[in-house]
Amino acid sequence: MRFQLGRTIFKIIVLSCLASATTQCADRATSVQKQFPGVCAKDLGVGNNTSVWMVGCGKANESGDFYLFTWNGSKWDMIPGFGSDIAVEPNGTPWITNSNGQIYKGKGKNEWEQVAGCARDIAVGNNSVWVLGCKQAGANDFEIFSRQGSQWNRVEGAAARIAVEPNGTPWIVNSSGQIYKRSGDSWQQVSGCAKDIGVGDNGLAWILGCKPVGAGGFEILSRQGSKWTKLPGAATGIAVEPNGTPWVISIEGKVFRL
């Protein structure tokens, strides 16, 4: 993470029924929350339902890095290092970025290997790593890079958030909320407006929409065909398993699996 790992690598998933008053939603939230007690998350990354990593709420320094945790099946274990964002490969390997833009790849549970480059956000699929670089391209967007071997290749466009399908196909959201999916050598716009995005196999996409809900959260939507379907609740971040199952972080920093 500055050797203080961390910052935007696993795009956190944040979904919560706390903003909904329905009995069904409340019962669901209570049931799910029992699986992940005692947690406060800033960002979240999932490789599958047994490989879950998070950037916690506890400050590790004044630069904007936080302590890291992984789920062991019954509780969160603190992991050496710290960062600001996290992402996880489908095989469970975590990647992180820190407040200085440094990038790290996990080597086992307690070791990190620094990777050349500078990133503000990161997303990973099978042997496919994409980042938003540290150089701004516009007022609130950043350059986009794809990792080829040991090199970062600049890709046209700019974005504020990025996610990658397990097959390596990237999706981006820009600071205006516009959504794009990579198709061949170009970006194809997808309808909708998003603040954050997560994707699974076969383009199973979830977003936090642009409409505020509650005290600081945003509406949660899943893509069904060519349309977005709204779910009860609100969240501040979101991540998606390879099979399409979303995980979210509530306005209060609690972790939920839908």
Side-chain angles (χ1 to χ4, degrees):
M1 316 213 96
R2 198 204 261 106
F3 213 71
Q4 296 162 332
L5 303 170
R7 186 170 181 139
T8 266
I9 268 186
F10 233 23
K11 246 136 198 226
I12 309 180
I13 26 190
V14 164
L15 167 110
S16 165
C17 283
L18 295 177
S20 173
T22 65
T23 301
Q24 181 181 8
C25 189
D27 290 345
R28 189 182 194 186
T30 299
S31 175
V32 175
Q33 180 58 23
K34 288 180 180 177
Q35 301 179 42
F36 311 102
V39 60
C40 178
K42 298 286 289 184
D43 197 7
L44 183 67
V46 291
N48 52 54
N49 62 359
T50 60
S51 181
V52 184
W53 293 71
M54 78 165 183
V55 177
C57 295
K59 277 190 174 183
N61 57 42
E62 295 302 317
S63 298
D65 293 312
F66 299 84
Y67 293 110
L68 306 175
F69 298 84
T70 186
W71 181 250
N72 70 9
S74 60
K75 64 182 181 67
W76 293 98
D77 292 333
M78 183 180 286
I79 300 300
F82 36 95
S84 56
D85 294 276
I86 190 165
V88 180
E89 295 181 25
N91 67 9
T93 301
W95 291 66
I96 59 174
T97 62
N98 66 19
S99 58
N100 286 339
Q102 293 170 319
I103 305 167
Y104 293 86
K105 179 181 180 180
K107 291 180 61 178
K109 185 171 287 188
N110 298 316
E111 296 183 16
W112 300 93
E113 175 185 12
Q114 188 170 0
V115 176
C118 185
R120 293 301 176 190
D121 198 5
I122 188 166
V124 291
N126 284 322
N127 301 313
S128 179
V129 184
W130 290 71
V131 300
L132 301 185
C134 294
K135 184 178 179 180
Q136 286 186 253
N140 297 298
D141 293 313
F142 294 86
E143 295 179 334
I144 303 167
F145 293 87
S146 171
R147 189 165 179 82
Q148 303 293 328
S150 60
Q151 303 295 318
W152 294 102
N153 290 338
R154 174 80 163 90
V155 176
E156 80 282 358
R161 295 302 248 168
I162 190 166
V164 174
E165 295 181 29
N167 68 8
T169 301
W171 293 58
I172 57 173
V173 172
N174 65 23
S175 57
S176 296
Q178 295 171 318
I179 306 165
Y180 294 86
K181 178 182 179 180
R182 191 73 174 171
S183 178
D185 294 328
S186 64
W187 296 102
Q188 301 297 317
Q189 187 169 1
V190 176
S191 63
C193 184
K195 292 292 186 181
D196 198 3
I197 188 168
V199 290
D201 276 327
N202 302 314
L204 292 173
W206 291 74
I207 61 171
L208 300 187
C210 295
K211 184 179 179 179
V213 178
F218 295 90
E219 58 185 4
I220 304 159
L221 303 101
S222 66
R223 189 165 177 80
Q224 306 293 329
S226 60
K227 296 183 179 180
W228 295 99
T229 299
K230 182 181 176 181
L231 277 72
T236 58
I238 191 165
V240 177
E241 293 179 26
N243 67 7
T245 301
W247 292 61
V248 297
I249 297 169
S250 75
I251 298 168
E252 296 180 344
K254 295 179 180 179
V255 177
F256 292 83
R257 181 175 186 251
L258 300 187

